[in-house]
Amino acid sequence: MEVIVLKDYDAVSKKTAEIVANLVKQKPNMIFCLPAGGSPIGMYEYLVKMYQNKEIDFQHMITFDMDEYIGIGHDNENSYAYFMQEHFLKYVNVSPDNIYYPDGLASNVQEMCTAYSEKMFAMGGLDLAITGIGDDGHIAFNEPNNYLLPRTHVVNLADSTIKANARYFDNKEELVPRKACSIGMEDIMRSRTFLVIASGKHKAALIRKTFTSDHIDPMWPVSFCRLHPNCIFIIDEDAASLTDKKLLQSYQK
Ligand code: PGA
């Protein structure tokens, strides 16, 4: 595992986009698992700029969304499929045939989830996945529990997640879907490169807990990233501010 500490959100976004761009150059048909949320928005902006400047070509790239709400469709503006269009896909040249996302309106969501992970692996597995960190330590929508699930699955969103995401629903918690589907921890652990991005003072306690806990703890899912053979945390100085500098330096290359 590696930790990169940078000045601010803009630097985190730029660095993350550069890593994505290098991977796409090395393997134009790579499979990229796309995150939603506030953390990756700056990275998408950099990727769009790079595309517009003809520095990167997404023609052969394959995308799988990391998670999705259950009960709303891809044309609902709060769905993550819609988010990916608005922040990334509609500006770049990923072929529509190469875009995959979970169907939040599937009649049998469990079957849909099983088929989603199977499709990912049948196509060669995730080359790259990126996540932010939820207030309860979730990655993708793998919420804290006594055990974690390996593959794409249905999840009951934690109260803290519903509260945090109410900002996208007119600040009305009652409007936030209670269920979602998410890729699982095995899907994440088998990704060839896994990036975790965090920026801002509100992430500082989450980073400290992740690096100082002596437990790899299903009640703190992001702690499992410490086991991933090629995981890079890209965080800014505010997010790093509560964690011992020497400890973080020990993860720097
Ligand atoms: P954020 O969300 O990127 O909006 O902070 C992270 C998450 O909940 O996974």
Side-chain angles (χ1 to χ4, degrees):
M1 196 178 63
E2 184 182 355
V3 178
I4 300 175
V5 181
L6 298 166
K7 190 169 182 324
D8 55 18
Y9 180 67
D10 184 62
V12 166
S13 301
K14 187 163 186 236
K15 177 73 184 171
T16 310
E18 283 167 1
I19 293 175
V20 175
N22 282 335
L23 290 173
V24 178
K25 277 173 200 158
Q26 281 166 31
K27 186 177 178 186
N29 64 344
M30 76 154 180
I31 304 186
F32 183 6
C33 191
L34 303 175
S39 302
I41 287 177
M43 169 198 71
Y44 289 129
E45 285 170 3
Y46 271 105
L47 288 175
V48 169
K49 268 188 228 153
M50 288 173 176
Y51 171 72
Q52 287 167 344
N53 293 336
K54 303 195 178 354
E55 294 164 27
I56 184 168
D57 180 7
F58 295 109
Q59 194 185 353
H60 300 294
M61 192 171 82
I62 296 158
T63 67
F64 279 82
D65 290 2
M66 192 162 240
D67 40 21
E68 184 58 277
Y69 291 116
I70 298 291
I72 61 178
H74 63 90
D75 49 359
N76 182 306
E77 63 182 24
N78 284 312
S79 75
Y80 287 169
Y82 193 93
F83 174 101
M84 295 318 161
Q85 288 295 333
E86 288 302 302
H87 291 282
F88 181 49
L89 295 170
K90 79 177 183 189
Y91 302 106
V92 298
N93 66 336
V94 180
S95 160
D97 292 344
N98 287 343
I99 296 171
Y100 297 89
Y101 48 85
D103 178 4
L105 293 178
S107 54
N108 185 331
V109 276
Q110 197 45 61
E111 261 175 29
M112 180 277 295
C113 288
T114 304
Y116 195 69
S117 277
E118 276 172 7
K119 181 103 193 157
M120 267 178 338
F121 285 111
M123 294 178 72
L126 300 176
D127 291 298
L128 171 66
I130 303 180
T131 185
I133 309 172
D135 291 343
D136 58 359
H138 71 218
I139 48 175
F141 269 144
N142 290 277
E143 297 284 26
N145 203 343
N146 294 332
Y147 55 87
L148 298 171
L149 293 169
R151 298 298 185 91
T152 305
H153 57 279
V154 180
V155 57
N156 293 315
L157 293 176
D159 289 345
S160 64
T161 303
I162 291 167
K163 216 183 180 82
N165 289 7
R167 67 191 196 273
Y168 300 110
F169 293 83
D170 293 333
N171 288 317
K172 292 186 179 137
E173 283 178 37
E174 65 274 19
L175 297 183
V176 182
R178 269 29 191 179
K179 284 183 190 290
C181 60
S182 171
I183 67 164
M185 293 302 285
E186 184 184 344
D187 298 331
I188 285 172
M189 297 302 284
R190 289 174 71 179
S191 61
R192 293 180 187 91
T193 300
F194 190 65
L195 306 182
V196 182
I197 47 181
S199 165
K201 288 237 182 284
H202 61 296
K203 301 286 181 181
L206 312 183
I207 292 293
R208 180 180 56 194
K209 182 165 176 175
T210 301
F211 285 91
T212 56
S213 168
D214 57 0
H215 286 81
I216 302 295
D217 186 355
M219 294 306 289
W220 196 250
V222 64
S223 64
F224 279 76
C225 294
R226 293 170 62 177
L227 303 177
H228 192 291
N230 189 28
C231 174
I232 310 174
F233 278 70
I234 307 172
I235 65 178
D236 69 5
E237 288 172 2
D238 279 346
S241 59
L242 292 179
T243 311
D244 181 58
K245 277 201 171 63
K246 280 211 179 90
L247 176 63
L248 291 178
Q249 272 162 8
S250 71
Y251 290 105
Q252 286 163 19
K253 285 194 175 159

